[in-house]
């Protein structure tokens, strides 16, 4: 892995001008991103493996925080973002971050859009390698042009091939040519424009097998198909009758009722209920069956126990005709519930993984808030005491001022009396002098 780092180029601003002469597989990362650090050793392995294979694809990495303008031009919105740059086109990688999956993506997208199958032997070889195989049969036509256009869009998900009619297996019969076919689930299906609608939508729906082992990533990918996802939530390690029975019911419905439900439903099973519980914000008891609408986050639970294939078919028909009760959704109340649930889950996970860290992260802010509240309340109480004492003092001053005024008034009266007595004495003296 360490030596693999030598085959991953650190890219800078000159990459923008020099990249068009080559095909590049680039990891746009941020130095502080934990997921980016986790991807780094895998990315070094990818660089080493691509060099050993003699692949024309060059592997590089770019610090998207240092060269943010270039990252923005390529549409980088999060970290890490993996893109294959081929001429003027940029293809996003959205698969699992493993060495084999990333290399398979790079080889698929870097190669030709439509890969020819010149012989029956080559056809059989490719069919063994691919669980889902799209093939165009026929010569030049508007359908082929559309097929090439769709391939340029969906090459990030699957391979596209072309073949002549004599290369196809003997059991294949075509009503007309040209035709687009998909081989999967041990059989084949022919695209019908009138029944299946747009070719791009049809290929997007058919790029999965009829029955899948569903995990979080697969469920995310199924969201692009617009289908409802019917899942048997079981424990793969539990071999009891109930667990195996529900899984068999889902498999049988997917196989026997394909013509009825394949346009609207994807079938599969999920191991364990941890992911589904976080998705539904509920604790589902396993084994059980749930139908998810990934477009609006609604889900359906059967109102009675699923005992047979007929019960499952009835449940699906109730969903299609609108009589089954939908739960969840993406409304305002559900969003608030999601925020609360995510916050609660985060706190619980932190305390479970590291109680001391949890106490520090959540105890410190609570302590600071408590001290602030105590300080505010104490300040208000002291303010009220000071105001009360000030009012008392002002009242006392007023009383003292009033008393002083009475004394002054008394003195003024006495003064007046004294002045009048002196005046009378003076007047008396004057009168006596006149008399004299």
């Amino acid at each position: 892995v360490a030596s693999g780092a030598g085959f991953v180029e650190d890219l800078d601003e000159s990459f923008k001008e020099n990249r068009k002469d080559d095909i590049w597989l680039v990891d746009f990362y941020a130095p502080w991103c934990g997921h980016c650090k986790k991807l780094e050793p895998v990315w070094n392995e990818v660089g080493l493996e691509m060099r050993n294979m003699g692949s024309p694809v060059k592997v590089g990495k770019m610090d998207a925080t240092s060269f943010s303008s270039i990252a923005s031009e390529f549409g980088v919105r999060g970290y890490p973002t993996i893109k294959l740059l081929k001429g003027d086109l940029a293809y996003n990688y959205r698969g699992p971050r493993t060495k084999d999956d990333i290399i398979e993506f790079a080889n698929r997208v870097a190669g030709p859009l439509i890969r020819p199958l010149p012989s029956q032997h080559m056809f059989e070889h490719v069919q063994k390698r691919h669980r889902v195989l799209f093939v165009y049969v026929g010569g030049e036509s508007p359908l082929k042009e559309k097929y090439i256009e769709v391939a340029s869009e969906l090459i990030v998900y699957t391979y596209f091939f072309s073949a002549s009619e004599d290369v196809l297996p003997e059991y294949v019969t075509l009503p007309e040519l040209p035709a687009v076919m998909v081989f999967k689930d041990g059989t084949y299906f022919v695209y019908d424009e009138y029944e299946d609608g747009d070719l791009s939508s049809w290929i997007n729906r058919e790029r999965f097998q009829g029955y899948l082992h569903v995990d979080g990533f697969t469920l995310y990918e199924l969201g692009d198909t617009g289908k409802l996802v019917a899942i048997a939530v079981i424990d793969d390690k539990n071999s009891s009758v109930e667990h195996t029975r529900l899984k068999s019911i889902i498999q049988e419905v997917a196989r026997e009722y394909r013509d009825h439900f394949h346009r609207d439903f994807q079938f599969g099973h999920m191991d364990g209920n941890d992911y589904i519980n976080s998705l539904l914000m509920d604790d589902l008891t396993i084994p059980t069956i749930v139908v998810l609408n990934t477009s609006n986050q609604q889900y359906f639970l059967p109102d009675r126990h699923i005992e047979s294939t007929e019960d499952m078919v009835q449940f699906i028909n109730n969903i299609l005709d609108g009589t089954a009760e939908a739960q969840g959704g993406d409304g305002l109340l559900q969003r608030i519930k999601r925020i609360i649930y995510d916050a609660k889950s985060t706190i619980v996970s932190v305390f479970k993984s590291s109680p001391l860290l949890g106490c520090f992260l959540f105890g410190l802010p609570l302590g600071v808030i408590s001290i602030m509240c105590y300080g505010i309340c104490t300040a208000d109480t002291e303010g009220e005491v000071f105001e009360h004492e000030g009012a008392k003092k002002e009242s006392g001053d007023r009383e003292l001022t009033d008393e002083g005024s009475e004394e002054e008034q008394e003195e003024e009266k006495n003064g007046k009396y004294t002045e009048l007595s002196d005046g009378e004495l003076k007047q008396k003296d004057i009168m006596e002098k006149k008399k004299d």
Side-chain angles (χ1 to χ4, degrees):
V1 175
S3 61
F7 301 107
V8 176
E9 296 190 33
D10 281 306
L11 306 175
D12 54 25
E13 62 274 359
S14 63
F15 172 70
K16 181 180 177 181
E17 301 297 330
N18 301 332
R19 73 173 185 84
K20 292 187 178 181
D21 295 332
D22 299 293
I23 301 174
W24 283 91
L25 182 66
V26 182
D27 168 29
F28 294 90
Y29 70 95
W32 44 261
C33 171
H35 294 291
C36 300
K37 294 177 181 177
K38 186 177 180 180
L39 177 64
E40 184 177 4
V42 176
W43 200 249
N44 292 336
E45 291 181 359
V46 170
L48 177 61
E49 185 73 14
M50 297 292 279
R51 180 63 63 89
N52 291 339
M53 291 168 55
S55 172
V57 179
K58 293 186 175 182
V59 181
K61 61 181 180 178
M62 175 177 285
D63 183 349
T65 60
S66 299
F67 306 102
S68 56
S69 60
I70 298 177
S72 297
E73 288 186 26
F74 288 120
V76 176
R77 298 289 181 270
Y79 311 114
T81 293
I82 298 173
K83 288 179 177 283
L84 187 132
L85 308 175
K86 183 180 179 183
D88 293 326
L89 301 175
Y91 296 91
N92 288 325
Y93 175 70
R94 304 199 312 181
R97 292 169 186 162
T98 64
K99 182 192 73 171
D100 293 338
D101 287 304
I102 294 172
I103 291 175
E104 198 269 344
F105 162 81
N107 290 332
R108 180 173 69 247
V109 178
L113 284 177
I114 311 297
R115 299 167 188 251
L117 299 174
S119 65
Q120 288 186 350
H121 176 73
M122 179 63 72
F123 186 96
E124 293 172 359
H125 172 72
V126 171
Q127 191 174 17
K128 290 178 181 178
R129 292 189 56 193
H130 300 277
R131 296 177 179 178
V132 179
L133 184 67
F134 289 99
V135 181
Y136 173 83
V137 183
E140 299 296 325
S141 68
L143 180 61
K144 184 175 183 179
E145 293 177 3
K146 183 65 176 177
Y147 184 71
I148 295 172
E149 180 184 338
V150 174
S152 65
E153 175 190 354
L154 300 180
I155 190 68
V156 293
Y157 299 120
T158 187
Y159 287 91
F160 293 87
F161 298 90
S162 65
S164 59
E165 190 174 10
D166 58 351
V167 170
L168 301 178
E170 295 181 358
Y171 61 82
V172 175
T173 57
L174 294 175
E176 61 180 1
L177 292 177
V180 176
M181 312 170 61
V182 59
F183 292 83
K184 66 177 185 177
D185 302 330
T187 184
Y188 69 95
F189 307 97
V190 182
Y191 167 68
D192 187 324
E193 182 179 1
Y194 298 101
E195 291 187 5
D196 300 318
D198 180 65
L199 179 61
S200 177
S201 300
W202 179 78
I203 291 177
N204 199 35
R205 291 195 305 268
E206 296 293 341
R207 63 188 176 91
F208 296 97
Q209 292 178 277
Y211 181 89
L212 298 170
H213 181 184
V214 180
D215 55 17
F217 172 75
T218 307
L219 198 58
Y220 174 77
E221 287 290 291
L222 288 171
D224 293 336
T225 67
K227 292 184 178 182
L228 300 175
V229 187
I231 304 174
V233 186
I234 62 174
D235 182 358
D236 276 338
K237 297 178 182 179
N238 192 323
S239 58
S240 65
V241 175
E242 184 66 11
H243 286 257
T244 56
R245 184 177 62 82
L246 286 182
K247 183 177 177 180
S248 299
I249 288 174
I250 295 290
Q251 287 175 326
E252 185 174 352
V253 171
R255 182 176 61 253
E256 301 297 331
Y257 292 85
R258 172 190 157 79
D259 292 340
H260 295 84
F261 300 136
H262 82 279
R263 287 184 178 86
D264 301 301
F265 281 84
Q266 174 66 50
F267 298 92
H269 79 275
M270 180 175 285
D271 182 20
N273 61 350
D274 291 340
Y275 182 82
I276 204 72
N277 285 345
S278 64
L279 194 66
L280 306 185
M281 296 180 288
D282 196 2
D283 292 327
L284 292 182
T285 303
I286 57 174
T288 189
I289 288 176
V290 61
V291 175
L292 302 173
N293 186 338
T294 55
S295 63
N296 61 8
Q297 300 180 18
Q298 286 185 342
Y299 63 95
F300 301 86
L301 297 174
D303 55 0
R304 57 193 178 91
H305 198 60
I306 302 296
E307 296 286 350
S308 63
T309 303
E310 289 73 20
D311 291 339
M312 187 65 201
V313 171
Q314 182 61 48
F315 177 43
I316 292 175
N317 286 326
N318 291 342
I319 295 174
L320 291 174
D321 62 26
T323 57
E325 179 184 0
Q327 303 182 48
D330 54 1
L332 179 60
L333 292 178
Q334 285 298 122
R335 293 178 185 179
I336 295 174
K337 184 179 178 182
R338 168 61 63 185
I339 293 172
I340 296 173
Y341 181 87
D342 289 342
K344 180 182 176 182
S345 300
T346 301
I347 293 172
V348 170
S349 63
V350 169
F351 273 99
K352 282 185 177 180
S353 60
S354 178
L356 292 178
L357 179 61
C359 291
F360 176 77
L361 290 177
F362 300 103
L364 182 60
L366 290 175
V368 172
I369 293 172
S370 300
I371 293 172
M372 291 175 62
C373 292
Y374 175 77
I376 293 170
C377 294
T378 304
D380 290 343
T381 304
E382 290 177 353
E384 291 176 2
V385 172
F386 290 150
E387 289 178 3
H388 182 65
E389 291 180 352
K392 287 177 65 179
K393 182 177 180 181
E394 184 179 350
S395 177
D397 290 343
R398 287 178 181 173
E399 291 177 0
L400 290 173
T401 304
D402 292 343
E403 290 175 358
S405 298
E406 290 177 359
E407 291 176 357
E408 288 175 358
Q409 290 174 3
E410 193 68 31
E411 288 178 357
E412 287 177 359
K413 286 181 181 180
N414 294 334
K416 287 180 181 179
Y417 294 146
T418 305
E419 289 176 1
L420 288 172
S421 299
D422 291 341
E424 290 175 356
L425 290 172
K426 288 179 181 179
Q427 190 176 5
K428 188 177 180 181
D429 290 339
I430 295 169
M431 291 298 291
E432 287 180 352
K433 287 179 179 179
K434 284 181 179 181
K435 286 179 180 181
D436 294 338

